[in-house]
Amino acid sequence: MGSYSDEMKQSFGEIVASLDDLGSLQKDFLTRRWLDQILWMEGAATRAQARYYSLRLVTVVGAVVVPVLVGLNLSGDVGAAVAWVAVGLSLVVATSAAVEGFFNFGQRWRHYRRTAERLNAEGWLFFELVGDYVSENGHAGAFPRFAARVEDLLREDVDVY
C-alpha cells in the first residue's frame, strides 16, 4: 500500500483526468499547482508536527524531572553526579524550548494543516460544482473562480511565511 500522498495524488489525478470539459492547461493547473501545493503543505505540516511534538515532549518531561533531581538533595559522589545530570538536562530542556520558540513548529504545523485543508475543500467544492462554483458551463465555467481562489489561498500562505 502506498503513502497517503501517493493515494491522494492518484485519486485526485483520476478525478482531474475525468473532467472532460477542461483543457490541458487547466488540468495542468489542477495537478501541478493545486494538488502539488496540497501535497507539499501536507508534508510540511507532518514534519512541523513531528518536530513540535518531539521538542515539546523533551521540554515537558525534562521540566518535570529536573526539579525531582534537584530535590533529591543527595550527598557525595552520587549527589555530584545527579547535580551534573540535572544541569545537563536543564540545558537540554532550555535548548528544546528555545528551538521550538525560534522556529514556531507548532504554529507552522497548524498553519500548513489549515491551508492544506482549505485547498482541499476548495477542490471538492469545484469538483462537485457547488457553492461559489455553481456554473451552467460546468467545470470550464467555474475554473476561473477556482484558480483565483487557489492563488488567493497561496498568496495568504506566502504572506504568513
Side-chain angles (χ1 to χ4, degrees):
M1 180 163 220
S3 70
Y4 175 70
S5 292
D6 291 339
E7 290 177 26
M8 188 178 222
K9 193 170 191 170
Q10 181 181 349
S11 295
F12 281 131
E14 290 171 2
I15 292 170
V16 169
S18 74
L19 301 176
D20 295 330
D21 61 336
L22 294 182
S24 63
L25 184 61
Q26 294 167 323
K27 288 181 179 184
D28 279 349
F29 176 87
L30 282 164
T31 56
R32 295 180 189 212
R33 182 70 168 153
W34 171 77
L35 181 55
D36 281 353
Q37 286 297 307
I38 289 176
L39 296 174
W40 186 88
M41 297 271 179
E42 291 277 347
T46 300
R47 288 187 301 276
Q49 180 187 38
R51 291 172 181 154
Y52 175 71
Y53 282 162
S54 297
L55 290 168
R56 290 297 297 159
L57 189 59
V58 167
T59 302
V60 168
V61 171
V64 169
V65 171
V66 168
V68 171
L69 292 176
V70 170
L72 289 176
N73 201 19
L74 300 172
S75 60
D77 290 342
V78 171
V82 168
W84 280 109
V85 168
V87 168
L89 188 55
S90 295
L91 287 171
V92 170
V93 167
T95 301
S96 176
V99 167
E100 202 293 311
F102 181 76
F103 287 108
N104 293 313
F105 290 121
Q107 183 179 353
R108 287 175 187 243
W109 156 46
R110 288 182 286 277
H111 169 77
Y112 289 136
R113 171 65 50 224
R114 183 174 42 255
T115 303
E117 290 302 321
R118 290 174 73 190
L119 286 167
N120 199 345
E122 288 297 321
W124 281 113
L125 292 171
F126 172 71
F127 293 144
E128 297 296 326
L129 294 174
V130 296
D132 292 339
Y133 304 113
V134 172
S135 172
E136 292 179 15
N137 298 323
H139 291 97
F143 184 81
R145 284 188 301 280
F146 172 72
R149 184 67 185 134
V150 167
E151 292 303 323
D152 286 345
L153 289 171
L154 295 176
R155 195 174 306 111
E156 286 177 28
D157 175 66
V158 170
D159 288 346
V160 172
Y161 285 103

